[in-house]
């Protein structure tokens, strides 16, 4: 499922943009300092040729960060198309990168925001060795003004840095293994909007996953330590899910007030176009409370159960770790890598204090800079009767965000926990 949900899903965000926020911070500091000292740039001055408010593109030295992938270097020119209100309607963002594990690579991205009701994107790229990706997405009916909402996504991804530590809430860091994961799926959602707040949605997602031997020299391959659970080979499932959503948020991308509650239940049956049988059910809740005009308290909690998991592969289980909250899927713990803890069931809770520290015109649009200290806790567990609030793993840290309303959030989140620190970067809020 996608990172941002309205009962149908929207912009998927696993594509790393590098330290976009840090770069914007530098530009904001330069532009803000220049205007504070001199409201109008003087003719012939150095800043005349570097007027960040009207540059046709954003030149970003790309430093991709991820606890599992390591540091990736590159250059990312971002071209923005804005309307008469300086709101972003299209983003074109190709890049050239170097990955010490997989060599040189290139990616292309185009994001479209034709209206508040419709969004789309196409992303594709490859590296010299192992990794390649493609992701296309379209959604309409985001504002729920009409009876129906719809989204469709097609994904192919080959990732060479996946990690597996074993099953259970106490899986040991010393058991770290790696594998190559080849993933392909098509996901379609149709939502019936009872009114602006209430929606009933059906989702169908046929998915193929292939677990291959690891290729990283410094980490053991998964089958060497987990010959049964981490068995190599391909499997597929076909998840059908019904969700009921109550949503009063004032924005799907950059909410400042309101709540969202999602209840869901789904089934994948090996007898129907699948090799894995399991069921899922759970709740996802988000709340946004504006304390002042500049301070918002954002909170999130999720509880996911698998009442049955007959022949379910480890990649279909509940997981905790990384920087993304996915309704009915993985949950964040921003001091640990993606999917650090895996088991049948999971609980997760997060809180952020999102404080807007600066507003200005930058790169042909309106940009806000935000600081967001955060705290998170969660666990995975095996039995439905287990206490979800015991033996919690915790994380805390600081988020740095740049907002281009109404559709874009660039971020760098730095977290710290019991296994050390982690840095994540990308687009959109974690929840």
């Amino acid at each position: 499922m996608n990172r941002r949900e309205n009962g149908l899903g929207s912009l998927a965000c696993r594509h790393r943009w590098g330290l976009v926020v840090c770069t914007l911070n530098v530009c904001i500091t330069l532009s803000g300092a220049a205007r504070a000292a001199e409201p109008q740039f003087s003719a012939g001055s150095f800043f005349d040729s570097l007027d960040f408010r009207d540059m046709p593109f954003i030149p970003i030295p790309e430093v991709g960060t991820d606890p599992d992938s390591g540091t990736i270097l590159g250059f990312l020119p971002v071209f923005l198309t804005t309307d008469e209100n300086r709101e972003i309607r299209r983003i074109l963002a190709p890049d050239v990168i170097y990955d010490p594990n997989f060599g040189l690579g290139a990616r292309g991205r185009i994001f479209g925001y034709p209206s508040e009701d419709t969004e789309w994107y196409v992303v594709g790229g490859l590296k010299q060795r192992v990794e390649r990706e493609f992701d296309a997405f379209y959604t309409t009916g985001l504002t729920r003004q009409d009876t129906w909402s719809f989204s469709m996504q097609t994904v192919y991804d080959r990732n060479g840095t996946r990690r597996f530590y074993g099953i259970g809430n106490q899986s040991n860091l010393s058991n770290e293994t790696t594998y190559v994961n080849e993933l392909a799926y098509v996901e379609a959602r149709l939502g019936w909007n009872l009114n602006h707040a209430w929606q009933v949605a059906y989702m169908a997602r046929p998915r193929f996953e292939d677990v291959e031997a690891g290729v990283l020299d410094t980490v053991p391959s998964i089958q060497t330590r987990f010959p049964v659970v981490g068995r190599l080979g391909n499997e597929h499932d076909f998840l059908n899910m019904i969700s009921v959503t109550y949503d009063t948020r004032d924005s799907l991308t950059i909410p400042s007030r309101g709540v969202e509650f999602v209840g869901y239940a789904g089934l994948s049956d090996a007898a129907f176009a699948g090799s894995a049988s399991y069921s899922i059910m759970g709740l996802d809740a988000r709340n946004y409370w504006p304390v002042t005009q500049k301070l918002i308290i954002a909170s999130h909690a999720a509880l996911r159960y698998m009442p049955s998991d007959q022949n379910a592969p480890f990649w279909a289980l509940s997981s905790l770790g990384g920087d993304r909250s996915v309704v009915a899927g993985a949950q964040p713990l921003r001091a640990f890598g993606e999917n650090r803890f895996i088991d049948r069931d999971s609980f997760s809770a997060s809180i952020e204090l999102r404080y807007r520290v600066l507003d200005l015109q930058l790169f042909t649009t309106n940009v806000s800079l935000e600081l967001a200290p955060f705290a998170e806790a969660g666990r995975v567990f095996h039995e439905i009767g287990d206490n979800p609030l015991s033996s919690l793993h915790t994380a805390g840290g600081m988020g740095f965000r740049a907002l281009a309303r109404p559709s874009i959030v660039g971020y760098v989140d730095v977290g710290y926990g019991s296994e050390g620190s982690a840095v994540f970067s990308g687009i959109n809020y974690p929840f």
Side-chain angles (χ1 to χ4, degrees), residues 75-253:
F75 178 71
L76 175 70
V78 179
F79 298 83
L80 305 178
T81 300
T82 57
D83 61 17
E84 62 277 6
N85 297 318
R86 301 180 69 90
E87 293 183 353
I88 295 174
R89 293 305 176 191
R90 184 168 296 181
I91 300 174
L92 179 64
D95 71 350
V96 177
I97 58 175
Y98 175 74
D99 185 326
N101 294 311
F102 307 118
L104 290 173
R107 293 173 293 191
R109 309 172 183 85
I110 182 168
F111 296 82
Y113 309 92
S115 70
E116 291 186 1
D117 201 53
T118 301
E119 295 179 2
W120 60 269
Y121 68 78
V122 179
V123 176
L126 54 82
K127 296 171 185 172
Q128 284 180 298
R129 298 181 297 276
V130 182
E131 295 196 332
R132 48 192 179 269
E133 63 181 288
F134 176 81
D135 188 350
F137 180 77
Y138 174 83
T139 184
T140 190
L142 291 171
T143 59
R144 302 183 187 174
Q145 299 299 321
D146 299 322
T147 303
W148 300 100
S149 298
F150 174 76
S151 72
M152 174 72 76
Q153 184 176 21
T154 301
V155 171
Y156 172 78
D157 183 68
R158 195 163 191 261
N159 187 310
T161 61
R162 292 294 189 189
R163 298 294 200 273
F164 182 73
Y165 301 84
I167 302 296
N169 195 52
Q170 303 302 324
S171 59
N172 200 310
L173 183 63
S174 64
N175 289 331
E176 179 182 18
T177 62
T178 184
Y179 62 98
V180 175
N181 182 227
E182 188 171 23
L183 162 70
Y185 68 82
V186 175
E187 179 178 299
R189 290 172 179 262
L190 180 64
W192 177 29
N193 303 317
L194 305 179
N195 53 44
H196 183 67
W198 286 96
Q199 181 191 78
V200 179
Y202 166 72
M203 184 274 289
R205 188 197 62 204
R207 176 175 58 174
F208 166 90
E209 295 237 13
D210 190 11
V211 177
E212 304 175 22
V215 295
L216 301 180
D217 295 334
T218 58
V219 184
S221 185
I222 186 171
Q223 80 281 6
T224 63
R225 289 184 176 173
F226 303 99
V228 178
V229 176
R231 61 187 182 273
L232 303 181
N234 62 74
E235 296 183 81
H236 52 282
D237 64 0
F238 196 133
L239 181 62
N240 295 268
M241 189 175 79
I242 297 291
S243 61
V244 178
T245 301
Y246 175 74
D247 189 353
T248 64
R249 295 173 297 169
D250 58 346
S251 170
L252 299 179
T253 310

